[in-house]
Amino acid sequence: IERIDAPISALRIGIKCGGSDTSSGLASNPSVGAASDKLVDMGATTMAGELLELLGCEEILKARSVTPEVGHKIERLIAEDLKRWHVIEGTETMSIGNSVGGLTTIDEKSQGAMHKTGTQPIQDCLRINHIHREKPTKPGFYLTETTMLCGGAAMHFASLGCQLILWTAGAAGFNNSIVPVIRVSGNSALITADMDINACGIMDATDTIDNVSNKIIDKVFAVADGLPTNLEGIGFAYASLYQKDQRLEHVIGICPQ
């Protein structure tokens, strides 16, 4: 494959959190959100998913939407994801990695998870189902139906055209064999040779969100230019596929729109 120069407007970046803990909400997620804001200002496209893990943040997200229609779409798709992962009255399924990190509910996680989306206007909430595979239509920030499941999320981001993923890690992490994953953590127990960005200084007030966000941007450009991520250098990766079961969608009353 011949490497060619490309404008930053060609850059698409997926954003995901996983194994969240206190440091995720205070350090790594805000740093990635700030980096996303700056990258969008430069002309790039960034996108996040895990709609269930934004439960309770609907009004804030609607206020950031470029149109009322986008805001209503976000609210509807979050409600649909809640149906998919609802277990019993008052209880929603939360990925086990978050429990390992010490979180107890989706609502507790959501306020911290939302920080990784930054503050830019939300251009759209891109649907991913057997009918729709919506794509960004212009640079900016997007929400998507990318799953909260790690391996499947990477494949969803790949299908949306992302060339790399920013992953904030509190108690866990992953890599993907198709899309390079830049890992960011503010948990000192996770800072080993496989972590790309150390955000621990935010937790002890020796560093700032702004400074860490600049380090993230530098790493984004380096990886886009061909530098392996730390996990790529080690040689670990995995991938999985995730799709909605259309029979179950029908049973719980979700019809693709």
Side-chain angles (χ1 to χ4, degrees):
I1 299 175
E2 181 183 358
R3 185 176 298 279
I4 61 172
D5 290 334
I8 194 170
S9 59
L11 191 60
R12 291 184 180 181
I13 303 164
I15 297 171
K16 190 183 183 321
C17 57
S20 297
D21 64 5
T22 303
S23 72
S24 299
L26 295 176
S28 54
N29 283 342
S31 298
V32 165
S36 172
D37 285 347
K38 294 174 183 179
L39 286 162
V40 168
D41 284 340
M42 295 176 192
T45 297
T46 62
M47 60 188 82
E50 308 176 281
L51 294 180
L52 178 63
E53 298 184 351
L54 293 172
L55 185 66
C57 304
E58 291 90 341
E59 293 304 316
I60 299 172
L61 298 171
K62 286 168 66 177
R64 287 174 52 194
S65 301
V66 294
T67 66
E69 290 74 20
V70 170
H72 294 317
K73 185 179 181 183
I74 292 169
E75 189 171 42
R76 174 172 59 81
L77 293 178
I78 289 176
E80 289 182 358
D81 224 22
L82 177 59
K83 284 186 178 182
R84 292 185 187 100
W85 295 97
H86 188 79
V87 181
I88 58 175
E89 190 64 34
T91 304
E92 294 78 44
T93 298
M94 182 172 67
S95 176
I96 191 170
N98 302 304
S99 300
V100 171
L103 302 182
T104 59
T105 66
I106 287 291
D107 305 79
E108 183 180 22
K109 174 184 170 69
S110 293
Q111 295 299 319
M114 183 179 62
H115 287 305
K116 72 179 184 289
T117 71
T119 61
Q120 290 280 0
I122 302 171
Q123 301 298 322
D124 199 356
C125 190
L126 306 176
R127 292 171 293 179
I128 302 173
N129 56 46
H130 72 292
I131 296 176
H132 301 285
R133 180 77 57 177
E134 296 178 333
K135 298 287 184 71
T137 55
K138 60 182 179 180
F141 176 77
Y142 293 78
L143 287 177
T144 76
E145 283 198 285
T146 296
T147 179
M148 63 184 177
L149 304 176
C150 299
M155 303 304 280
H156 278 171
F157 281 132
S159 75
L160 293 168
C162 292
Q163 298 99 344
L164 56 88
I165 296 168
L166 292 174
W167 165 279
T168 62
F174 86 111
N175 194 30
N176 182 260
S177 52
I178 297 177
V179 185
V181 179
I182 297 173
R183 301 175 72 222
V184 183
S185 182
N187 183 339
S188 58
L190 287 182
I191 305 302
T192 57
D194 63 355
M195 192 63 62
D196 295 280
I197 302 293
N198 183 341
C200 296
I202 297 170
M203 299 299 291
D204 61 17
T206 59
D207 208 344
T208 66
I209 290 170
D210 183 62
N211 188 51
V212 173
S213 72
N214 290 333
K215 294 177 184 177
I216 293 169
I217 292 171
D218 289 344
K219 187 75 173 188
V220 164
F221 290 151
V223 172
D225 200 36
L227 178 74
T229 65
N230 287 18
L231 265 179
E232 281 186 293
I234 293 172
F236 170 79
Y238 73 92
S240 60
L241 298 176
Y242 170 84
Q243 66 177 7
K244 303 178 181 79
D245 187 320
Q246 297 310 310
R247 296 164 297 179
L248 180 58
E249 295 280 289
H250 178 74
V251 168
I252 61 178
I254 297 177
C255 299
Q257 299 180 32

